Amino acid sequence: MWKNRNVWIILTGEFVAGLGLWLGIIGNLEFMQDRVPSDFVKAIILAIGLLAGVAIGPLAGRLTDQGSKKKIMLISSIVRALSVIFMFVAIETNSVVWMVVFLIILQGSAAFYFPALQAAIPLIVKERELLALNGVHMNVSTLSRVIGTAIAGVLLTLISLRNVYALSLVAYLLLAVATLFLQLDETKKPSAKKLDAKASSGFKDVFPIIKSIPVIFMTLVMTLIPLLFIGGFNLLVINISELQDSTAIKGWIYTAEGLAFMTGAFMIKRIGEKFSAFSILFSFSFLIGVAQLMLYFADIPFMSIAAFVLFGFSVGCFFPTAVTIFQTRMPKEYHGRFFSFRNMLDRIVFQVVLLVTGFFLDLIGLQLMVVLFGISSIAMTAAFLVYTRKHKLHIEEDSTEKMSS
């Protein structure tokens, strides 16, 4: 795998783009912190961008299956870079409205890029290398987040917010350049006429396949549980910082969670050799709920960091396993629409969780909210486990049968 030129291009592009993304995210939080006092209003602003990504999802899925994945990744990278121009306008005019425009275009381009990327990864490595590559890819993404947030925190004390976004723009342009050198073999697919007929139907052909393959359906449902934590991640960090009256804790939390995620994603290949996908998904889903409950003690620095470490390690093991199941079990001619649908589902849940998190933080506070979320996560995990055993939907058995066929 490491001799594969395309692998290095994908990973390098992900790292550079991740730096740009997190420079922008920290910039967004900084921009809103002085202008938007309410957590709920902050959540609404962030949710508007996610809604744009949801709206464009069906089109993104069809085009990914019909056209060149490389071209889609390239064009969406260029559009993402151009979106930063509107953030420059927002800074100059001190207007949150222009920031909303920036978020809409940014999330719209991401709605095209990420399904195309997930559909492209199985084209550049062998199936037995997918779990390892997905783990490494997520590690690179997390490393860029750790470094990006750390750099952004330092840069905001040294340079203007405008220059932080300028560096983000440069990173997106470098991603577009890296994508130019990507070489994908997209010849092994159905004829153009057949593919167009299938792709033109949108999501309606994907749903029966999801229902007919238990491993895909259950994994898709299980991925909703980590989103209950991830959706309000940034708002949680801001509130923990305020609760402890410490700005430094934000950096420690981001760093600790990121390093824990990388450790989990690095170890998942070995864990996957000893335990089934079924065990991995349900065990770490349960631990995510435990991490949420631990945040009841968020006023204690050690406990808040420990909770994010547990969460980071858990999702570092959970997500590479889930993505590998999707890539190997879903027929390749449906990858674009499936990953677009999954992207839409994630965005909708993320948006709902973001709004609910902002609402509960204003209404009942951080500590009661995380107890409510933690109990909900553990209860959902238990309910899904009972359901799968009752209906004999054993993920590892379904996966093994299909891998051997």
Side-chain angles (χ1 to χ4, degrees), residues 115-126:
L117 174 63
Q118 290 298 328
I121 287 178
L123 300 178
I124 66 175
V125 294
K126 298 175 181 178

Side-chain angles (χ1 to χ4, degrees), residues 196-404:
D196 288 343
K198 285 185 176 182
S200 63
S201 62
F203 291 153
K204 72 177 184 180
D205 284 344
V206 177
F207 296 145
I209 295 178
I210 293 175
K211 292 179 180 179
S212 66
I213 307 177
V215 63
I216 293 180
F217 177 76
M218 281 310 306
T219 306
L220 192 63
V221 173
M222 290 294 296
T223 57
L224 302 182
I225 293 176
L227 292 179
L228 194 58
F229 196 119
I230 297 171
F233 194 98
N234 290 327
L235 292 180
L236 289 175
V237 173
I238 291 174
N239 272 264
I240 291 172
S241 175
E242 293 172 353
L243 186 65
Q244 298 183 14
D245 192 23
S246 169
T247 56
I249 193 65
K250 287 188 285 191
W252 283 109
I253 287 175
Y254 279 119
T255 302
E257 188 274 338
L259 292 175
F261 183 100
M262 291 172 61
T263 302
F266 177 77
M267 293 179 63
I268 186 56
K269 190 173 186 301
R270 293 184 179 180
I271 295 174
E273 292 171 353
K274 297 181 179 179
F275 299 96
S276 67
F278 182 89
S279 299
I280 292 172
L281 293 180
F282 281 95
S283 297
F284 288 109
S285 178
F286 174 79
L287 289 177
I288 289 169
V290 173
Q292 288 172 311
L293 292 176
M294 289 173 63
L295 284 178
Y296 179 77
F297 304 100
D299 56 325
I300 305 173
F302 171 77
M303 288 298 293
S304 59
I305 292 174
F308 279 93
V309 166
L310 178 60
F311 171 75
F313 184 83
S314 297
V315 294
C317 294
F318 184 100
F319 279 124
T321 303
V323 171
T324 302
I325 289 172
F326 293 145
Q327 290 171 340
T328 55
R329 303 283 69 80
M330 176 60 67
K332 287 184 171 57
E333 61 266 27
Y334 295 98
H335 273 187
R337 280 163 292 165
F338 173 77
F339 285 115
S340 182
F341 169 72
R342 188 200 166 205
N343 194 35
M344 282 180 59
L345 182 63
D346 286 351
R347 285 168 181 269
I348 291 172
V349 175
F350 191 100
Q351 180 175 309
V352 171
V353 171
L354 182 61
L355 293 173
V356 170
T357 299
F359 176 75
F360 277 131
L361 285 172
D362 286 344
L363 182 67
I364 63 177
L366 171 68
Q367 290 168 301
L368 290 179
M369 186 198 73
V370 294
V371 170
L372 178 63
F373 280 13
I375 293 174
S376 299
S377 295
I378 293 174
M380 284 189 291
T381 301
F384 293 146
L385 182 59
V386 170
Y387 176 82
T388 55
R389 289 185 173 177
K390 181 180 179 180
H391 295 274
K392 300 181 180 180
L393 302 180
H394 295 292
I395 293 177
E396 69 274 19
E397 290 179 4
D398 183 81
S399 179
T400 303
E401 289 173 5
K402 292 182 180 296
M403 288 181 70
S404 61

